[in-house]
Amino acid sequence: VSIKYPPVKFLSEKDRKRILITGGAGFVGSHLTDKLMMDGHEVTVVDNFFTGRKRNVEHWIGHENFELINHDVVEPLYIEVDQIYHLASPASPPNYMYNPIKTLKTNTIGTLNMLGLAKRVGARLLLASTSEVYGDPEEHPQNEEYWGHVNPIGPRACYDEGKRVAETMCYAYMKQEGVEVRVARIFNTFGSRMHMNDGRVVSNFILQALQGEPLTVYGTGSQTRAFQYVSDLVNGLVLLMNSNISSPVNLGNPEEHTILEFARLIKSLVGKSSQIQFLPEAQDDPQRRRPDIRKAKMMLGWEPVVPLEEGLNKTIHYFSRELEHQANNQYIPKPKAARMKKGRPRHN
């Protein structure tokens, strides 16, 4: 049986690149994999499946341009590539707080390993950094010149400070070794293949609404978030990688909404009769988050184009399919009849 792959462009030798994506089986990584594969490149995905899932990229397995390596970036990697998208790192608070040491190692040793690889093979490296480098910002909106306001011993520090030092490393390698680096500071992103229970506001609300549970809002719900749909982010990453901008660039959606607005919108899109429930606010939960994306607009010609509702509908569709699969494939062991052997019942 020949496997049906999504359609792939044919690129000539000079245009085709060998591209490594660390964390390529994760939420953003798998969408980036799809885009680069369809564009005709040779893509190698490296993932240790701490939060990534093989099924996010299973539709490429066996394709001649695709390679999947089960590998942890905390260990060195020797492989020939032209570009490295370094996305490996748990990215949702429950994941990185569950194992803060692993998160630190991935962002520090893992980044050093990837920069070492880039140096050895002359590849260009794009670091997936985060808006968390700005911490709980005292400046609004945040532009790339802002240094941030981060608690180095807070509950999210393993991630915030891990990404901050990862940026430091990129520029040390650039200055000392001439490695070409790109740094994307990624703001809140959502879409299909995101973790259903990652504890973040969009996935929480969608799950709660689909299951007819109350939508839980922490604090008053007046905190703001600005969300971009994953396809917008992926386009931004590819534009940045292939640009000549080596300083950090914000990629996010400047359209701010309060948490309460999100709750109401998702409630109405799902169309179930959930209540909204207010809970005490969480520690170190930034009150406002909004990217200044003038740099990306001017220098990359990039801005988000997917309307919030369209993105939410696609994500709701994905989540409801996942919930259906869960319901249909639930494994309920059937009680086995006891077998008689030498007069004693034996339970297999």
Side-chain angles (χ1 to χ4, degrees), residues 2 8 43 53 63 89 106 186 202 209 228 270 289 293 324:
S2 68
V8 166
V43 176
R53 305 165 76 187
H63 192 286
S89 165
T106 303
I186 300 171
V202 169
Q228 65 186 333
V270 172
R289 230 340 129 56
I293 59 165
E324 266 168 49

Side-chain angles (χ1 to χ4, degrees), residues 32-259:
L32 178 61
T33 300
D34 288 350
K35 177 172 171 60
L36 295 171
M37 280 295 295
M38 288 174 180
D39 284 350
H41 298 289
E42 293 176 18
V43 176
T44 301
V45 164
V46 160
D47 209 296
N48 70 340
F49 305 108
F50 176 53
T51 57
R53 305 165 76 187
K54 204 180 223 175
R55 53 177 291 202
N56 289 341
V57 292
E58 68 183 350
H59 50 281
W60 293 115
I61 290 174
H63 192 286
E64 55 183 13
N65 288 349
F66 181 77
E67 179 100 60
L68 177 61
I69 304 176
N70 184 337
H71 178 88
D72 189 327
V73 293
V74 172
E75 306 298 330
L77 182 66
Y78 300 96
I79 163 185
E80 289 295 327
V81 289
D82 305 306
Q83 291 184 341
I84 302 168
Y85 288 86
H86 181 39
L87 275 59
S89 165
S92 70
N95 287 136
Y96 58 68
M97 291 180 193
Y98 162 74
N99 197 336
I101 295 170
K102 184 69 183 167
T103 301
L104 273 167
K105 283 185 175 172
T106 303
N107 280 309
T108 54
I109 303 164
T111 301
L112 278 177
N113 282 334
M114 290 307 113
L115 284 161
L117 171 62
K119 175 188 152 185
R120 285 194 305 273
V121 301
R124 176 181 294 182
L125 179 137
L126 180 145
L127 171 71
S129 186
T130 170
S131 60
E132 298 281 351
V133 299
Y134 301 124
D136 191 356
E138 293 163 311
E139 250 185 46
H140 209 76
Q142 297 83 50
N143 71 26
E144 291 86 353
E145 308 299 309
Y146 177 53
W147 289 358
H149 178 228
V150 174
N151 174 2
I153 56 174
R156 317 164 85 121
C158 60
Y159 183 68
D160 306 3
E161 295 289 26
K163 288 294 192 188
R164 283 167 70 98
V165 78
E167 288 194 11
T168 308
M169 290 169 172
C170 285
Y171 294 113
Y173 266 81
M174 179 173 93
K175 210 168 141 187
Q176 190 178 322
E177 304 293 345
V179 173
E180 292 186 10
V181 299
R182 302 288 178 265
V183 173
R185 289 183 180 158
I186 300 171
F187 284 71
N188 288 3
T189 307
F190 73 98
S192 60
R193 304 183 195 155
M194 73 192 290
H195 279 262
M196 295 205 343
N197 42 6
D198 68 5
R200 296 204 238 178
V201 55
V202 169
S203 34
N204 275 2
F205 287 165
I206 293 178
L207 264 186
Q208 289 167 338
L210 285 170
Q211 294 172 320
E213 292 167 4
L215 276 59
T216 50
V217 170
Y218 294 91
T220 59
S222 61
Q223 318 91 300
T224 66
R225 291 293 183 271
F227 278 92
Q228 65 186 333
Y229 189 63
V230 64
S231 58
D232 282 334
L233 170 61
V234 162
N235 292 335
L237 292 173
V238 173
L239 282 169
L240 177 59
M241 171 66 95
N242 298 300
S243 74
N244 50 14
I245 306 165
S246 56
S247 53
V249 177
N250 286 341
L251 295 176
N253 193 335
E255 202 182 287
E256 250 181 309
H257 296 275
T258 69
I259 300 283

